[in-house]
Amino acid sequence: MNDAAPAPTPAPSRRARVRAPELIGKGGWLNTGDRQYTLADLRGRIVILDFWTFCCINCLHVLDELRELEEKHRDTVVIIGVHSPKFVHEAEHQAVVDAVERYQVHHPVLDDPELATWKQYAVRAWPTLVVIDPEGYVVAQHAGEGHAHAIAKLVEELEAEHAAKGTLRRGDGPYVAPEPVATDLRFPGKALLLPSGNFLVSDSTRHQLVELEPDGESVVRRIGDGEFNEPQGLALLPDGRVAVADTVNHAIRAYDPETGAIELLAGTGKQWWQGSATSGPALEVSLSSPWDVAWWNGRLWIAMAGVHQLWTYDPEAGTVQVAAGTTNEGLVDGPAAEAWFAQPSGLAATEDRLWIADSETSAVRFVDRDMQVRTAVGTGLFDFGHRDGDAGQALLQHPLGVTALPDGSVAISDTYNHALRRFDPAANEVTTLATDLREPSGAVLVGDDIVVVESARHRLTRLRLPEEAVRVEGVAHRTQRAATDVAPGALRLDVVFQAPAGQKLDTRYGPSTRLLVSSTPPELLRAGEGAGTDLSRELELNPEIAEGVLHVSAMAASCDDPAGGTSQTGGSGGEYPACHVHQQDWGVPVRLTAGGADRLPLVLAGMDPAAG
């Protein structure tokens, strides 16, 4: 399919109709008052399936994107989160229960630990949204972020169409709110030791900071009344203020412990999208889910989890800029500008290194003063586990925090292993310091102790740093997604994108689409790697490589057509059309086998015409 003239979105009466498979999940239903649902129970409603997993920052973005639609159409639309785990920990039912509360999911969630429904709907990426009409047919599929506007338009069409047919059923939805639990902290994110000896903790789910006495339990004060939205990282600035990663507000703020004043340092409040500015005055450049902050080398460094980069803030100049990473998701070392990260979520500064918890690659990495990115522990997006020993074969599972220790080693908040680990650069070895923590997300050094943020136990836990690490039996895991069997040689990659009804591709400033392809290992691709503007591409796979991962990044920009048409051609379509960016990254594990597929379709938005 040529990206310059994709097939127009069908009118409602001609919309493709595919019967929706049943919803199956061994973990059962959450947020329904213990009632178990089938699609037949939801007949007459517009159902939106949100395939998500709670490790995924893009999935969290989509949760936020859907909130307005969820509220506006609550009598006709039922959003169902289908939790589809990547990591082993995410298949634990209690972990899903925690995540639903942590991220304030206000709709039913089907816990699908074995990916049964994911497979039935042929989903290939987190997040994916599937729209089912009131008669039980799939009418749209969207991968990635930026689709809420298109889905809202589709919902309005479906409401009108099925109201006229008499097949729309209005009323209260199946959501039943769980009982609230009273604790001083609720899913705290990070902690900081203040000069006073007190702790400052980001109380993420309650959208506040909390100051605690040195015992780590007694509340001194709560900070923030509407300023923060799921704050995470904290760092002391040279002027005595505390920088706060205000994650869901896509901002960096400063809190003054002396006066209580809160000031916006960076961010516009809007999420950064491809094509946005990557440097400039701090209050004029958008950010994307900053997760942690650290003062290093004369700048405030920002772990920009939402775009897989590191940024810096210069308080003297009042500017921000990208410092490392390309926005491609993966594990690639080298010069900072060329490195790939995968949802960096923790930072710790030493004299000569900035340590990074690179969560989605289950890795610990660092930037040195020569601006080179190197990996200490971890191999890539799909391998994880709990294994000690030589760093080259040691395994972590989605770590969210790193803490520099006095001897030059690093404590790792190994979040999904419920453990505190240690990497010793001198011995190039990983050991386990403590287990039986519950989703540790950060830690702070206090004398000879380390105080760990036990996020899913809603508390700080003080541990004595042992002289010798406790070894545990090694366990290795691989992401549960089965590899796609493809034939060696020619493989046609088709990213399916149909501009939503009432929109057209925005070609005012050049091509409105972008496709970037690479592979792990690089030798997998003999031809077809690199960037281009066509959403279809001929790849050539090396028959000497048995398996690997295809990394595909796609973006399409569409604008509202004031004429109300669905033309897919260029033109401004009005003086100030509202424009929308649709984007998604896929990591597709592939296995080369004779008789495998010679076409790989990835749906960005719309329905694959070859799937019917």
Side-chain angles (χ1 to χ4, degrees), residues 349-385:
T350 65
E351 179 65 26
D352 58 349
R353 292 180 179 180
L354 180 72
W355 292 98
I356 305 147
D358 203 29
S359 62
E360 280 293 285
T361 52
S362 298
V364 170
R365 307 171 71 187
F366 63 88
V367 182
D368 63 24
R369 285 190 170 272
D370 294 327
M371 293 301 292
Q372 295 289 313
V373 175
R374 307 183 194 279
T375 298
V377 185
T379 58
L381 284 166
F382 301 103
D383 293 294
F384 56 91

Side-chain angles (χ1 to χ4, degrees), residues 273-291:
W273 289 99
Q274 289 289 350
S276 303
T278 56
S279 63
L283 299 179
E284 298 175 14
V285 177
S286 295
L287 311 180
S288 182
S289 296
W291 206 274

